Amino acid sequence: MSRVVAQTDSPPPSSFIEAMTFYERRQAADHGSVQGGLASPTLGQLLKRVGDVRKEETGDETPVHERVIDLGDSNPEHRSLPFVLSFNNLTYSVKVRRKITDSLLFRRRNPRTKVLLNDISGEAREGEILAVLGASGSGKSTLIDALANRIAKGSLKGSITLNGEALESRLLKVISAYVMQDDLLFPMLTVEETLMFAAEFRLPQTLSKSKKKARVNALIEQLGLVNAAKTVIGDEGHRGVSGGERRRVSIGIDIIHDPILLFLDEPTSGLDSTSAFMVVKVLLRIAQSGSIVIMSVHQPSYRILGLLDHLIFLSRGQTVYSGSPINLPLFFSEFGHPIPDTENRTEFALDLIRELEGSAGGTQSLVEFNKSWQSMKQSRNQNQNQEIETNGLSLKEAISASISRGKLVSGATNEYNPTSSSMVPTFANPFWVEMAVLSKRSVTNSRRMPELFGIRLGAVLVTGFILATMFWQLDDSPKGVQERLGFFAFAMSTTFYTCADALPVFLQERYIFMRETAYNAYRRSSYVLSHSIVALPALIVLSLTFAATTFFAVGLDGGLSGFFFYFFIIFASFWAGSSFVTFLSGVVPHVMLGYTIVVAILAYFLLFSGFFITRDRIPDYWIWFHYLSLVKYPYEAVLQNEFSDPSKCFAKGVQMFDNTPIGQVPYATKVRVLQSLSSSLGINLTPSTCVTTGAGVLQQQGVTDLSKWDCLIITLAWGFFFRILFYISLLLGSKNKRR
């Protein structure tokens, strides 16, 4: 256990302000009973005090937290009141198709409606942890998604407000963070690097590198990850950090900018009791720093229950209890099912709920009892005038005051403008900074898995070697022309097929991308541009390797200039193929399905490229596919690069009889046939007369409408076109919201 966790286990001294509950601290601050009139401490202030107390008691001067930015003055006008997130009458349903049965075969099958949330209401306060409990399928994750604006607009009914004002989607993205149930992390980055990249994304450019580094170090200590800071995250093939450490890293990524709202979907799932307790303890410190923490949890232990402030029990989308853990015994006692002193309160409640769900009446009696219980509680609160004070502050003014105290680090350098639509920027950094950080992260992760590029380079080398030895030093005869055509068709199509390995790259990063862009860590355009830039060096190396392996060995024409054009067109082919596969990865969610589609479409591209059947012979109803074929343009470009020399001859005299029945007769007989043709046609034909030039070969292949440079430009343009389509697919397909 880290020093921070061990320190918080021991009782603090009486002078330690954090020993008071959150609202006791607020009341004391309002009445001036706390020295200096302090408001609710931010994350930086809270951890600073932890370090000060530890230094006084133990003499250990190891810093727990360094204040990274100025936290603002203590002017009461800048003190923000506690945030309260309220949600009322949330209802969400989906349509489920009925299963086909014999009785439904001949009847119209109308989809039935399944209610996932049914009139859910409640509130979550700053400084507290709201936990949503229930059995699997009760609606826990759905409620978290609803509060985090992860359900499409129009599908969710009800209202969600912060301090009494409706939350705009754009503002919610900036002031909140969402931690998914799955730990979606880059496997070959260390814990420190992972959090540092998150800091680069979420903290503003105006903060120096040293301050960002200090923020990351403080967060590592807060999360209890000091011993694992230099360890890679790991995956199935690489040993890394433990499951509990991975979960804390996932949380750290999303709280690096100190959000006001933090949503977590089952953060303790899959962890042992000790790791789960440490995670919730971290969440408690985050809440006490001035955040609202809302999480779903399946079945908390007794120790975790002691850290929670408010509970909502759900059963099949309905609320069966909403209140403090302290009131659980009284609630179920009045319901007629008292909780034994020896049992865990939540375990008893969940067991009772499951028992009621299996009964004839279900949990309806408990739902109705909870409604009457809540009504009585609300009437008591009204009699005591327990209302949320606003002091005339609007929501945005309250957020601005919170920023002045150190919350929302990404907006801490921005002055509040009352005429502005928001006091914090949509994105913390300009797009070129995002591109640089994304590129650096991708290169760092890939550099530690060199076997991936090595396999791709090996495949290109082996293919080039086989082609070079198979088509070694082709001559300029008609047979050599046919062999060149076959070599070019296979070589150009191979460049596209070898790009298929780019398919799983984005599929593996898809959910990381969706998590990061859902709350504006960076722009989608920055991701697309950095993704393209990072791919270029590998494509250049592969293109140069393939060109150098095959051009001189096959004996292609054009000299040095011909070689460079050959290299450029191969690079353009790799670029277009990589962009095409990347676009498909943004549309197709499964690797095997993606490979099937890629192989099929590339086969069609080769079929309509003009090699198997020339453009003039393609039926009119298929000619459109010929112009859509990615293989067509590089294939025609290399043909023109090879056969563009007007002085080069590819069939002389009797060579015109090659590939015909006359080609099998003796040479002397072919000479006499040639002389007979010469006298019949009135043309002087000798065995050395050139009868087929490069222009004739191009004419026969139907390669006449575009120059080689036009083909090169079009091939490159295809690559940019598919990158644009990839960007559009990310805009439309990565909303990360339920319908």
Side-chain angles (χ1 to χ4, degrees):
M1 187 176 292
S2 70
R3 290 192 295 268
V4 173
V5 175
Q7 186 67 30
T8 55
D9 285 340
S10 60
S14 58
S15 62
F16 189 45
I17 296 176
E18 279 66 24
M20 306 166 65
T21 65
F22 181 81
Y23 287 102
E24 288 172 341
R25 292 199 309 272
R26 181 168 71 88
Q27 292 173 358
D30 292 342
H31 292 86
S33 60
V34 179
Q35 186 177 358
L38 292 174
S40 304
T42 63
L43 180 63
Q45 294 168 323
L46 184 67
L47 294 176
K48 180 70 167 58
R49 295 174 192 173
V50 173
D52 292 341
V53 172
R54 185 182 65 175
K55 185 167 65 175
E56 292 175 4
E57 292 184 344
T58 65
D60 185 3
E61 297 185 358
T62 304
V64 176
H65 177 81
E66 297 179 33
R67 190 157 63 181
V68 179
I69 61 172
D70 292 335
L71 298 176
D73 56 42
S74 59
N75 191 327
E77 294 181 359
H78 292 286
R79 270 208 337 258
S80 65
L81 294 166
F83 290 102
V84 178
L85 180 72
S86 303
F87 46 98
N88 298 291
N89 310 117
L90 296 184
T91 301
Y92 174 59
S93 59
V94 294
K95 291 184 178 180
V96 181
R97 293 186 179 274
R98 297 179 183 272
K99 293 182 179 180
I100 298 177
T101 60
D102 293 339
S103 61
L104 294 175
L105 282 176
F106 301 101
R107 288 191 298 172
R108 185 177 179 181
R109 298 188 300 273
N110 295 321
R112 65 183 180 89
T113 300
K114 182 178 181 180
V115 179
L116 301 182
L117 296 178
N118 187 3
D119 198 29
I120 306 294
S121 299
E123 68 177 24
R125 292 177 174 268
E126 175 186 331
E128 296 183 348
I129 298 179
L130 168 62
V132 184
L133 293 87
S136 298
S138 61
K140 301 189 301 295
S141 297
T142 306
L143 178 58
I144 298 295
D145 286 347
L147 298 177
N149 193 34
R150 290 164 63 88
I151 295 180
K153 190 176 181 180
S155 300
L156 179 68
K157 298 178 182 178
S159 64
I160 302 174
T161 61
L162 185 61
N163 284 16
E165 295 187 27
L167 268 176
E168 300 175 1
S169 176
R170 179 175 177 270
L171 181 59
L172 180 62
K173 283 185 176 182
V174 177
I175 67 172
S176 66
Y178 184 97
V179 180
M180 296 182 178
Q181 184 173 349
D182 299 323
D183 300 320
L184 305 172
L185 305 167
F186 284 91
M188 300 312 295
L189 298 180
T190 66
V191 170
E192 185 179 30
E193 288 170 341
T194 300
L195 294 175
M196 193 64 202
F197 281 121
E200 295 284 357
F201 288 132
R202 302 306 298 262
L203 303 186
Q205 187 184 10
T206 52
L207 283 182
S208 65
K209 189 84 171 179
S210 60
K211 289 184 178 180
K212 291 179 181 178
K213 181 75 172 176
R215 168 69 177 158
V216 169
N217 291 336
L219 191 59
I220 287 174
E221 186 134 3
Q222 182 202 12
L223 296 171
L225 295 170
V226 175
N227 295 330
K230 301 297 182 181
T231 306
V232 296
I233 299 298
D235 56 11
E236 295 82 358
H238 304 86
R239 185 174 179 83
V241 297
S242 67
E245 290 169 334
R246 286 174 63 94
R247 188 63 47 84
R248 280 176 274 159
V249 173
S250 297
I251 295 172
I253 288 174
D254 290 305
I255 67 169
I256 192 73
H257 64 302
D258 207 2
I260 294 173
L261 295 171
L262 179 60
F263 304 98
L264 304 101
D265 186 12
E266 298 202 19
T268 61
S269 177
L271 302 181
D272 59 77
S273 60
T274 301
S275 298
F277 178 71
M278 291 177 64
V279 167
V280 179
K281 211 167 187 180
V282 168
L283 297 179
L284 178 61
R285 289 201 293 270
I286 294 170
Q288 291 173 342
S289 72
S291 297
I292 298 175
V293 177
I294 304 175
M295 70 175 187
S296 61
V297 59
H298 185 67
Q299 192 165 332
S301 65
Y302 181 80
R303 290 197 301 167
I304 290 178
L305 184 63
L307 302 178
L308 305 179
D309 299 284
H310 196 91
L311 305 178
I312 293 180
F313 281 85
L314 297 181
S315 173
R316 296 176 180 174
Q318 293 182 296
T319 305
V320 293
Y321 175 77
S322 177
S324 170
I326 300 174
N327 294 330
L328 271 175
L330 178 61
F331 176 84
F332 282 100
S333 177
E334 293 187 6
F335 181 64
H337 293 77
I339 302 176
D341 295 336
T342 57
E343 286 202 32
N344 183 306
R345 298 172 184 176
T346 55
E347 289 181 2
F348 176 86
L350 291 172
D351 290 341
L352 177 61
I353 292 170
R354 292 191 190 96
E355 183 180 337
L356 292 175
E357 287 176 346
S359 64
T363 57
Q364 193 59 37
S365 59
L366 189 56
V367 172
E368 295 299 329
F369 178 77
N370 176 66
K371 289 181 180 178
S372 62
W373 172 279
Q374 297 300 326
S375 299
M376 289 188 296
K377 187 170 70 172
Q378 288 177 3
S379 63
R380 288 197 302 267
N381 291 342
Q382 288 176 357
N383 293 334
Q384 297 172 6
N385 293 324
Q386 293 182 357
E387 296 181 356
I388 302 171
E389 299 178 2
T390 61
N391 283 355
L393 286 178
S394 68
L395 172 61
K396 291 179 180 178
E397 289 171 336
I399 294 175
S400 180
S402 183
I403 290 173
S404 70
R405 294 166 41 247
K407 297 296 289 182
L408 287 179
V409 180
S410 61
T413 59
N414 295 272
E415 295 293 334
Y416 171 64
N417 181 6
T419 62
S420 175
S421 61
S422 177
M423 73 295 301
V424 287
T426 303
F427 299 95
N429 295 286
F431 77 92
W432 60 84
V433 174
E434 297 172 349
M435 285 176 53
V437 177
L438 284 166
S439 300
K440 182 181 178 181
R441 182 176 70 174
S442 180
V443 170
T444 303
N445 190 64
S446 300
R447 185 164 45 85
R448 292 175 182 164
M449 293 187 290
E451 64 274 9
L452 298 181
F453 178 73
I455 292 173
R456 192 175 182 186
L457 180 62
V460 170
L461 273 172
V462 170
T463 303
F465 175 77
I466 293 175
L467 290 175
T469 53
M470 188 74 175
F471 296 93
W472 181 264
Q473 294 298 315
L474 298 178
D475 56 28
D476 296 333
S477 67
K479 289 184 178 180
V481 171
Q482 292 300 318
E483 291 166 351
R484 276 179 169 81
L485 296 178
F487 165 77
F488 287 136
F490 189 87
M492 294 303 104
S493 61
T494 298
T495 59
F496 287 94
Y497 277 108
T498 53
C499 292
D501 67 336
L503 184 68
V505 173
F506 176 71
L507 291 178
Q508 293 172 352
E509 298 179 8
R510 175 191 293 271
Y511 293 105
I512 298 178
F513 167 83
M514 292 173 67
R515 182 200 68 200
E516 293 175 334
T517 56
Y519 290 87
N520 296 346
Y522 49 80
R523 299 165 180 82
R524 291 173 175 83
S525 57
S526 301
Y527 180 85
V528 173
L529 289 172
S530 69
H531 189 278
S532 304
I533 293 172
V534 169
L536 292 179
L539 298 183
I540 292 174
V541 172
L542 295 175
S543 303
L544 187 60
T545 300
F546 188 80
T549 306
T550 57
F551 185 86
F552 299 104
V554 176
L556 301 182
D557 192 37
L560 192 60
S561 61
F563 169 78
F564 280 113
F565 182 83
Y566 181 68
F567 160 72
F568 288 142
I569 196 62
I570 289 177
F571 169 75
S573 300
F574 274 120
W575 163 249
S578 176
S579 301
F580 171 69
V581 173
T582 300
F583 160 64
L584 283 183
S585 70
V587 177
V588 181
H590 304 293
V591 175
M592 293 311 299
L593 179 60
Y595 277 127
T596 302
I597 295 175
V598 167
V599 171
I601 293 179
L602 290 180
Y604 300 148
F605 285 163
L606 179 60
L607 175 63
F608 289 95
S609 64
F611 170 70
F612 294 103
I613 181 171
T614 62
R615 175 171 55 87
D616 300 334
R617 301 281 295 173
I618 296 177
D620 293 339
Y621 47 83
W622 280 119
I623 194 65
W624 60 272
F625 208 122
H626 171 71
Y627 290 100
L628 292 179
S629 171
L630 296 184
V631 181
K632 161 188 164 63
Y633 301 99
Y635 174 67
E636 292 187 0
V638 291
L639 287 185
Q640 295 191 61
N641 189 54
E642 181 67 16
F643 299 112
S644 60
D645 188 355
S647 64
K648 196 166 185 179
C649 185
F650 293 94
K652 294 182 180 180
V654 296
Q655 287 182 336
M656 72 170 64
F657 301 126
D658 291 351
N659 300 323
T660 67
I662 301 177
Q664 304 299 321
V665 302
Y667 178 78
T669 304
K670 287 190 284 187
V671 171
R672 288 195 297 270
V673 173
L674 184 64
Q675 292 173 348
S676 176
L677 283 174
S678 177
S679 60
S680 299
L681 298 175
I683 301 174
N684 183 25
L685 295 176
T686 65
S688 61
T689 303
C690 183
V691 295
T692 302
T693 61
V697 174
L698 296 177
Q699 185 74 29
Q700 292 172 5
Q701 298 301 313
V703 183
T704 56
D705 55 342
L706 295 170
S707 68
K708 68 178 185 180
W709 295 105
D710 291 336
C711 293
L712 175 62
I713 293 172
I714 292 174
T715 305
L716 290 171
W718 273 119
F720 287 105
F721 174 71
F722 283 118
R723 294 286 171 174
I724 294 173
L725 290 183
F726 177 54
Y727 171 68
I728 295 174
S729 71
L730 296 185
L731 284 179
L732 300 179
S734 61
K735 299 295 185 182
N736 205 21
K737 288 188 177 183
R738 302 193 191 198
R739 299 294 181 184

